Amino acid sequence: MLKKSFFLILLAFLVISCIESRYQKVEWAIVIHGGAGSSSGNMSDQKKLEYESSLLEATELGSKMLAQGATALDVVEAVVVYMEDCPLFNAGKGAVKTIEGIHELDAAIMDGSNLKAGAIAGVKEIKNPIKAARLVMDSSAHVFLIGEGASFFAKLKGLEMVDNSYFSTESREEQYKKVVEGREAGDPRGTVGCAVKDKHGNLAVATSTGGMSGKKWGRVGDVPVIGAGTYANNSSAAISGTGHGEYWIRRVVAFDISALMEYKGLSLQEAAQEVIFKKIDPMGGSGGGIIAVDKEGNISMEFNTDLMHRAWAKSTGEYGVGILKGEEKRFIKH
Ligand code: ASP
């Protein structure tokens, strides 16, 4: 009898703790991407580890800020600055080259609490394009500045300017040669993005890129186009895209996910899957993916390519990192 009641109590305890951890409130959540692309056949284990540790470091930086009560907006900016400074990614240092052999960078940021946004495109000498996007949002009367005007504004605001060669790395030079010689169809892999829910219940997103490698004369991708590669709204989600930008613009991917949630009542996961697999997939192009977070702290990382560099963390202690499809390392922080 005593044995039976002991087991019943134990069972009840286990069920309660399971339910508790399943429904534990997510105070804050962060998800990042470092670009999507095709097979990693040419990626060594060493390179994979380098990507994983940079992704985890970037997530850790954001997690610490969030735990201390930082705003979603400050966190997405800081995390993207970190990734722009990391030469592994196609954003800031390490950006791909245009067909003319130079770097032209695009970036955008959006505040889900008031739908304010800032974006810049085609800039050649702003060290951290995401800082310029934030300034466009906070300290100009506009949403979107391009080229020389954007650089003039950034200089005026005291941002650090660099020579265009600062963004080059050895591997991007090699990639450029291959593209020019027609040995590689400009693989864009490495755009960066960060979506966050903070302790105050607000959402924000930031995305930064060098665009598609070998891109032509003033081409602008989806990243700085609000609603295409970047969108945040407290009533739905914060979403950052990566992939074949032309398709992301035509499909207005990030806004479409938000609209499906807001108008049709779909969950974040349902909306993201609908757009990536039912709308983008049939259109063709080289594909891509999104990372997103909603106001409950649910995270989505959907992509139709072989890989998407990604990492995430939540106030509940869950965190993880992944590169290839179906391969994720999951951890719990106690
Ligand atoms: N979406 C970016 C662009 O088209 C590239 C990428 O995310 O890889 O500019």
Side-chain angles (χ1 to χ4, degrees), residues 188 191 209 211-212 219 221-223 242-243 245:
T191 290
T209 188
M212 305 281 278
R219 180 262 189 192
D222 58 311
V223 165
T242 172

CSV table of all heavy atoms in Angstrom, one decimal, residues 188 191 209 211-212 219 221-223 242-243 245, ligand 1:
chain,number,residue,atom,x,y,z
A,188,PRO,N,25.8,33.3,-52.0
A,188,PRO,CA,25.8,34.4,-51.1
A,188,PRO,C,26.0,34.1,-49.7
A,188,PRO,O,26.1,35.0,-48.8
A,188,PRO,CB,24.3,34.9,-51.3
A,188,PRO,CG,23.6,33.6,-51.5
A,188,PRO,CD,24.5,32.7,-52.3
A,191,THR,N,25.0,36.0,-44.9
A,191,THR,CA,24.2,37.2,-44.4
A,191,THR,C,23.9,36.9,-42.9
A,191,THR,O,23.8,35.8,-42.5
A,191,THR,CB,22.8,37.3,-45.2
A,191,THR,OG1,23.1,37.7,-46.5
A,191,THR,CG2,21.9,38.2,-44.6
A,209,THR,N,24.1,42.5,-44.7
A,209,THR,CA,24.6,41.6,-45.7
A,209,THR,C,25.5,42.4,-46.7
A,209,THR,O,25.4,43.6,-46.9
A,209,THR,CB,23.5,41.0,-46.5
A,209,THR,OG1,24.0,40.0,-47.4
A,209,THR,CG2,22.7,42.0,-47.3
A,211,GLY,N,25.2,41.1,-49.6
A,211,GLY,CA,24.3,40.7,-50.8
A,211,GLY,C,24.8,39.5,-51.5
A,211,GLY,O,25.5,38.7,-50.9
A,212,MET,N,24.4,39.3,-52.8
A,212,MET,CA,24.8,38.1,-53.5
A,212,MET,C,26.2,38.4,-54.2
A,212,MET,O,26.4,39.5,-54.7
A,212,MET,CB,23.8,37.9,-54.7
A,212,MET,CG,22.4,37.8,-54.3
A,212,MET,SD,22.0,36.2,-53.6
A,212,MET,CE,21.7,35.2,-55.0
A,219,ARG,N,22.8,46.7,-57.5
A,219,ARG,CA,21.8,45.8,-57.1
A,219,ARG,C,21.5,45.9,-55.6
A,219,ARG,O,22.5,45.9,-54.8
A,219,ARG,CB,22.2,44.3,-57.5
A,219,ARG,CG,21.2,43.3,-57.1
A,219,ARG,CD,21.5,42.6,-55.8
A,219,ARG,NE,20.7,41.4,-55.5
A,219,ARG,CZ,20.7,40.8,-54.3
A,219,ARG,NH1,21.4,41.2,-53.3
A,219,ARG,NH2,19.9,39.8,-54.2
A,221,GLY,N,19.4,43.9,-52.5
A,221,GLY,CA,18.6,42.7,-52.2
A,221,GLY,C,17.4,43.0,-51.2
A,221,GLY,O,17.0,44.1,-51.0
A,222,ASP,N,17.0,41.9,-50.6
A,222,ASP,CA,15.8,42.0,-49.8
A,222,ASP,C,16.1,42.5,-48.4
A,222,ASP,O,15.2,43.0,-47.7
A,222,ASP,CB,15.2,40.5,-49.6
A,222,ASP,CG,16.3,39.6,-49.0
A,222,ASP,OD1,17.4,39.6,-49.5
A,222,ASP,OD2,16.0,38.9,-48.0
A,223,VAL,N,17.3,42.4,-47.9
A,223,VAL,CA,17.7,42.7,-46.5
A,223,VAL,C,17.2,44.1,-46.1
A,223,VAL,O,16.6,44.2,-45.0
A,223,VAL,CB,19.2,42.5,-46.3
A,223,VAL,CG1,19.7,43.1,-45.0
A,223,VAL,CG2,19.5,41.0,-46.3
A,242,THR,N,17.2,35.3,-45.1
A,242,THR,CA,18.5,35.1,-45.8
A,242,THR,C,18.2,34.2,-47.0
A,242,THR,O,17.5,33.2,-46.9
A,242,THR,CB,19.6,34.5,-44.9
A,242,THR,OG1,20.7,34.2,-45.7
A,242,THR,CG2,19.1,33.2,-44.2
A,243,GLY,N,18.8,34.5,-48.1
A,243,GLY,CA,18.6,33.7,-49.3
A,243,GLY,C,18.6,34.5,-50.6
A,243,GLY,O,19.1,35.6,-50.6
A,245,GLY,N,17.6,37.0,-52.6
A,245,GLY,CA,16.9,38.2,-52.2
A,245,GLY,C,15.8,38.6,-53.2
A,245,GLY,O,14.8,39.1,-52.8
B,1,ASP,N1,19.4,37.9,-49.1
B,1,ASP,C1,20.7,38.4,-49.4
B,1,ASP,C2,20.5,39.2,-50.7
B,1,ASP,O1,19.9,38.7,-51.6
B,1,ASP,C3,21.7,37.3,-49.6
B,1,ASP,C4,21.7,36.3,-48.5
B,1,ASP,O2,20.9,36.3,-47.6
B,1,ASP,O3,22.5,35.3,-48.6
B,1,ASP,O4,21.2,40.2,-50.8
